[in-house]
Amino acid sequence: MADDVTIDGSTIRTARVRLRPWREDDAPAALEIYGSAEVARWLAPAMEQVADVDAMRAMISSWLAAPPGPAGRATGRWAVEEIESGRVAGSAQILPLPPEGEDLEVGYQLAPWAWGRGLGSEAGHALAHYAFANGEEEVFAVVRPRNERGIHAARRIGMDWVGETEKYYGLRLQVYRLRNSDLDVPLLDPSPLEH
């Protein structure tokens, strides 16, 4: 996958997806993601289901107005466009994990129509390249224990399971980590054995 990642400023491109900054006119497509109960169930309490396109537009406006993390860190929020169709298939972000914000979380959410095609792990892999190209040494993914899609995507990116914690968001979460030196190292067995 390494040869398939191109970083051009704040736009990241892979073979099948383009991660680009959000625009306010993306609100209807973003609502397909954040307005979906199937997606929102894995995000609460950090983020609740978005009720309508006006609320989604306001959320995107707030993302655009405020920097996502400390200056000098490789943080950001991106719309994930499927290159073939041009549709916004998902959302991707690198954000500081609460409570201290020292650890960076790689996160991605897809609209239900885009599930099952590997686009989430492709977007997450691209985010890891972006973080490491901008000086980060490691990134994390935190996943609820029953979120099999999230767990599978983290493993496909090459992340290692490091345990469970209640440190982030006050929830019991599975923690996955990817270090710069492990990016694009072939996996011997991509199935999660820790459960």
Side-chain angles (χ1 to χ4, degrees), residues 19 50 53 98 107-108 124 136 140 147 151 171-172 186:
L19 284 66
V50 178
V53 74
Y108 32 88
E136 299 297 334
F140 295 86
N147 184 351
I151 291 168
L171 301 170
R172 179 164 280 305

mmCIF file of all heavy atoms in Angstrom, residues 19 50 53 98 107-108 124 136 140 147 151 171-172 186:
data_model
loop_
_atom_site.group_PDB
_atom_site.id
_atom_site.type_symbol
_atom_site.label_atom_id
_atom_site.label_comp_id
_atom_site.label_asym_id
_atom_site.label_seq_id
_atom_site.Cartn_x
_atom_site.Cartn_y
_atom_site.Cartn_z
ATOM 1 N N LEU A 19 -8.494 11.977 0.408
ATOM 2 C CA LEU A 19 -8.829 12.648 1.656
ATOM 3 C C LEU A 19 -8.541 14.124 1.435
ATOM 4 O O LEU A 19 -7.408 14.497 1.107
ATOM 5 C CB LEU A 19 -7.979 12.114 2.813
ATOM 6 C CG LEU A 19 -8.371 10.739 3.372
ATOM 7 C CD1 LEU A 19 -8.162 9.630 2.373
ATOM 8 C CD2 LEU A 19 -7.599 10.459 4.633
ATOM 9 N N VAL A 50 -26.033 13.021 14.404
ATOM 10 C CA VAL A 50 -26.414 14.341 13.917
ATOM 11 C C VAL A 50 -27.835 14.270 13.373
ATOM 12 O O VAL A 50 -28.173 13.371 12.599
ATOM 13 C CB VAL A 50 -25.421 14.838 12.847
ATOM 14 C CG1 VAL A 50 -25.837 16.189 12.299
ATOM 15 C CG2 VAL A 50 -24.014 14.901 13.430
ATOM 16 N N VAL A 53 -29.439 18.139 8.216
ATOM 17 C CA VAL A 53 -28.393 18.736 7.399
ATOM 18 C C VAL A 53 -27.931 20.090 7.951
ATOM 19 O O VAL A 53 -26.742 20.436 7.842
ATOM 20 C CB VAL A 53 -28.828 18.821 5.911
ATOM 21 C CG1 VAL A 53 -29.848 19.923 5.674
ATOM 22 C CG2 VAL A 53 -27.637 18.971 5.001
ATOM 23 N N PRO A 98 -8.379 12.371 24.355
ATOM 24 C CA PRO A 98 -8.538 12.899 25.718
ATOM 25 C C PRO A 98 -7.997 11.890 26.721
ATOM 26 O O PRO A 98 -7.872 10.717 26.379
ATOM 27 C CB PRO A 98 -10.047 13.051 25.846
ATOM 28 C CG PRO A 98 -10.627 12.070 24.884
ATOM 29 C CD PRO A 98 -9.632 11.948 23.765
ATOM 30 N N GLY A 107 -8.755 8.111 13.169
ATOM 31 C CA GLY A 107 -10.139 7.667 13.145
ATOM 32 C C GLY A 107 -10.728 7.799 11.759
ATOM 33 O O GLY A 107 -10.297 8.638 10.957
ATOM 34 N N TYR A 108 -11.708 6.967 11.467
ATOM 35 C CA TYR A 108 -12.375 6.998 10.167
ATOM 36 C C TYR A 108 -13.756 6.402 10.353
ATOM 37 O O TYR A 108 -13.962 5.464 11.115
ATOM 38 C CB TYR A 108 -11.579 6.218 9.108
ATOM 39 C CG TYR A 108 -10.835 5.050 9.694
ATOM 40 C CD1 TYR A 108 -11.428 3.803 9.828
ATOM 41 C CD2 TYR A 108 -9.539 5.211 10.178
ATOM 42 C CE1 TYR A 108 -10.765 2.751 10.415
ATOM 43 C CE2 TYR A 108 -8.857 4.162 10.772
ATOM 44 C CZ TYR A 108 -9.488 2.931 10.883
ATOM 45 O OH TYR A 108 -8.820 1.895 11.482
ATOM 46 N N GLY A 124 -7.388 4.957 6.761
ATOM 47 C CA GLY A 124 -6.568 4.932 7.970
ATOM 48 C C GLY A 124 -5.088 4.781 7.656
ATOM 49 O O GLY A 124 -4.232 5.419 8.288
ATOM 50 N N GLU A 136 5.293 12.628 13.390
ATOM 51 C CA GLU A 136 4.793 11.799 14.487
ATOM 52 C C GLU A 136 5.518 10.455 14.480
ATOM 53 O O GLU A 136 5.920 9.964 13.425
ATOM 54 C CB GLU A 136 3.281 11.588 14.376
ATOM 55 C CG GLU A 136 2.474 12.866 14.429
ATOM 56 C CD GLU A 136 2.599 13.626 15.736
ATOM 57 O OE1 GLU A 136 2.889 12.998 16.789
ATOM 58 O OE2 GLU A 136 2.404 14.854 15.724
ATOM 59 N N PHE A 140 -2.594 5.966 17.300
ATOM 60 C CA PHE A 140 -3.442 4.977 17.950
ATOM 61 C C PHE A 140 -4.816 4.933 17.302
ATOM 62 O O PHE A 140 -5.266 5.915 16.710
ATOM 63 C CB PHE A 140 -3.620 5.330 19.439
ATOM 64 C CG PHE A 140 -2.353 5.247 20.226
ATOM 65 C CD1 PHE A 140 -1.484 6.329 20.290
ATOM 66 C CD2 PHE A 140 -2.020 4.081 20.893
ATOM 67 C CE1 PHE A 140 -0.305 6.260 21.003
ATOM 68 C CE2 PHE A 140 -0.833 3.999 21.620
ATOM 69 C CZ PHE A 140 0.019 5.084 21.671
ATOM 70 N N ASN A 147 -17.024 -3.716 18.126
ATOM 71 C CA ASN A 147 -16.982 -3.086 16.811
ATOM 72 C C ASN A 147 -16.020 -3.864 15.911
ATOM 73 O O ASN A 147 -14.869 -3.493 15.712
ATOM 74 C CB ASN A 147 -16.558 -1.624 16.932
ATOM 75 C CG ASN A 147 -16.575 -0.885 15.611
ATOM 76 O OD1 ASN A 147 -16.736 -1.478 14.552
ATOM 77 N ND2 ASN A 147 -16.400 0.416 15.676
ATOM 78 N N ILE A 151 -12.162 -3.019 14.493
ATOM 79 C CA ILE A 151 -11.038 -3.876 14.874
ATOM 80 C C ILE A 151 -10.341 -4.408 13.629
ATOM 81 O O ILE A 151 -9.107 -4.363 13.507
ATOM 82 C CB ILE A 151 -11.513 -5.019 15.792
ATOM 83 C CG1 ILE A 151 -11.944 -4.455 17.156
ATOM 84 C CG2 ILE A 151 -10.449 -6.099 15.931
ATOM 85 C CD1 ILE A 151 -12.691 -5.439 18.028
ATOM 86 N N LEU A 171 -14.631 5.081 28.566
ATOM 87 C CA LEU A 171 -15.215 3.823 28.092
ATOM 88 C C LEU A 171 -14.145 2.744 28.063
ATOM 89 O O LEU A 171 -12.963 3.038 27.877
ATOM 90 C CB LEU A 171 -15.749 3.989 26.660
ATOM 91 C CG LEU A 171 -16.814 5.032 26.421
ATOM 92 C CD1 LEU A 171 -17.016 5.217 24.923
ATOM 93 C CD2 LEU A 171 -18.108 4.605 27.080
ATOM 94 N N ARG A 172 -14.560 1.494 28.200
ATOM 95 C CA ARG A 172 -13.613 0.394 28.011
ATOM 96 C C ARG A 172 -13.413 0.224 26.507
ATOM 97 O O ARG A 172 -14.355 -0.046 25.779
ATOM 98 C CB ARG A 172 -14.113 -0.911 28.620
ATOM 99 C CG ARG A 172 -13.102 -2.040 28.385
ATOM 100 C CD ARG A 172 -13.305 -3.234 29.251
ATOM 101 N NE ARG A 172 -12.825 -3.199 30.596
ATOM 102 C CZ ARG A 172 -11.586 -2.940 31.013
ATOM 103 N NH1 ARG A 172 -10.665 -2.625 30.159
ATOM 104 N NH2 ARG A 172 -11.261 -2.996 32.277
ATOM 105 N N PRO A 186 4.794 -6.088 6.184
ATOM 106 C CA PRO A 186 3.763 -7.090 5.889
ATOM 107 C C PRO A 186 3.316 -7.827 7.149
ATOM 108 O O PRO A 186 4.127 -8.186 8.002
ATOM 109 C CB PRO A 186 4.457 -8.056 4.923
ATOM 110 C CG PRO A 186 5.611 -7.285 4.358
ATOM 111 C CD PRO A 186 6.016 -6.311 5.430
#
